[in-house]
Amino acid sequence: MPADCLFCKIIAGEIPGNKAAETDKILAFHDIAPQAPVHVLVIHKQHTPGVADTTDNAIFGDLLGGVRDTAKQLGLSDYRVVLNNGAEAGQSVFHMHAHILGGRPLKWPPG
Ligand code: 5GP
Ligand code: ZN
């Protein structure tokens, strides 16, 4: 794990995360600055900086399976899944994560 990775520190319990769901492969926790009534981040426990860096497609299956299961546990039927890849696209934490946004109507296109 990279020593300076915020999300690896949350996985390790070095920084508190408001946990929503967890499996052996996935951790889901509530975003510290929610952009919707429900705003949860789903991460893989294996560090990967971003979508473009992923070489093992199983990571995506684990991640999206985690999104599906977490949303179900939260009672969400309608929600948006966002993966920002790269700084210009809005990525600020370089440990790949899926945002689950729900609990209000969401406009399209995003900004
Ligand atoms: P990104 O901008 O990389 O797509 O998403 C990073 C997300 O992580 C942002 O929505 C931001 O609010 C959230 N975040 C940043 N630092 C923390 C933290 O320490 N704890 C939690 N729970 N979320 C964080
Ligand atoms: Zn990490």
Side-chain angles (χ1 to χ4, degrees):
M1 119 182 181
D4 58 346
C5 177
L6 176 67
F7 287 175
C8 281
K9 287 181 180 167
I10 290 177
I11 291 166
E14 292 169 21
I15 291 176
N18 185 1
K19 198 193 323 184
E22 185 169 17
T23 69
D24 57 332
K25 292 188 175 136
I26 290 297
L27 179 66
F29 54 98
H30 296 272
D31 197 291
I32 203 167
Q35 302 301 311
V38 179
H39 187 174
V40 168
L41 302 174
V42 182
I43 62 178
H44 203 286
K45 290 183 176 177
Q46 183 177 315
H47 178 91
T48 303
V51 172
D53 306 289
T54 310
T55 53
D56 178 2
N57 286 353
I59 296 285
F60 294 121
D62 294 340
L63 193 68
L64 273 181
V67 166
R68 175 200 59 206
D69 296 344
T70 301
K72 193 173 178 187
Q73 281 184 44
L74 292 168
L76 282 179
S77 57
D78 295 14
Y79 52 89
R80 185 168 293 166
V81 183
V82 175
L83 285 99
N84 295 324
N85 185 73
E88 196 174 343
Q91 187 174 8
S92 60
V93 178
F94 289 84
H95 179 129
M96 184 170 67
H97 50 280
H99 298 252
I100 301 175
L101 295 151
R104 67 168 170 83
L106 296 165
K107 293 193 176 116
W108 191 261

